[in-house]
Amino acid sequence: MPASKRPESGPLARAFAAELRAALARQRITAKDLARLVDLTPAYVNKRLRDEAPFTLNDVEVIIRALGGAWDHVAYTAIDELRVVPAAEEDEDDA
């Protein structure tokens, strides 16, 4: 894979981005504000919030630290949602 080609966002990355978008909206924090807080470019953050590329684990760690400990629920909720999806898909396969 060429170095410039990033892997597609997987289910956990998409769930994390969705939870982060929702949490940012609830707190009225823009992507630009988030980028400034975590010392990333707005383009980098926006690309990941749109699921065009995955956040790295380092990104997740920096985001949670920058936004405060109360924001760790974003990661936990994303993981919980991921656990529910496969079970629902198995039920559809059995039908």
Side-chain angles (χ1 to χ4, degrees), residues 7 29 42 51 76 87:
I29 297 173
D51 292 325
Y76 292 128

Side-chain angles (χ1 to χ4, degrees), residues 3-81:
S4 63
K5 177 77 172 152
R6 294 276 184 194
E8 194 173 298
S9 293
L12 181 57
R14 288 191 306 272
F16 177 79
E19 284 302 314
L20 183 57
R21 285 191 303 270
L24 291 171
R26 283 192 299 272
Q27 297 296 319
R28 294 192 172 112
I29 297 173
T30 66
K32 186 176 182 179
D33 292 337
L34 175 63
R36 191 177 312 117
L37 281 171
V38 296
D39 198 30
L40 295 170
T41 68
Y44 180 93
V45 170
N46 276 309
K47 187 173 187 177
R48 281 141 187 85
L49 288 173
R50 291 190 309 262
D51 292 325
E52 294 174 9
F55 281 104
T56 68
L57 286 175
N58 288 340
D59 295 336
V60 172
E61 182 179 356
V62 170
I63 289 167
I64 290 171
R65 283 187 179 168
L67 296 174
W71 286 73
D72 60 359
H73 74 280
V74 171
Y76 292 128
T77 302
I79 291 168
D80 286 342
E81 284 185 22

Side-chain angles (χ1 to χ4, degrees), residues 81-95:
E81 284 185 22
L82 188 63
R83 289 181 184 146
V84 172
V85 171
E89 289 174 356
E90 286 177 15
D91 291 343
E92 290 175 8
D93 292 340
D94 292 338

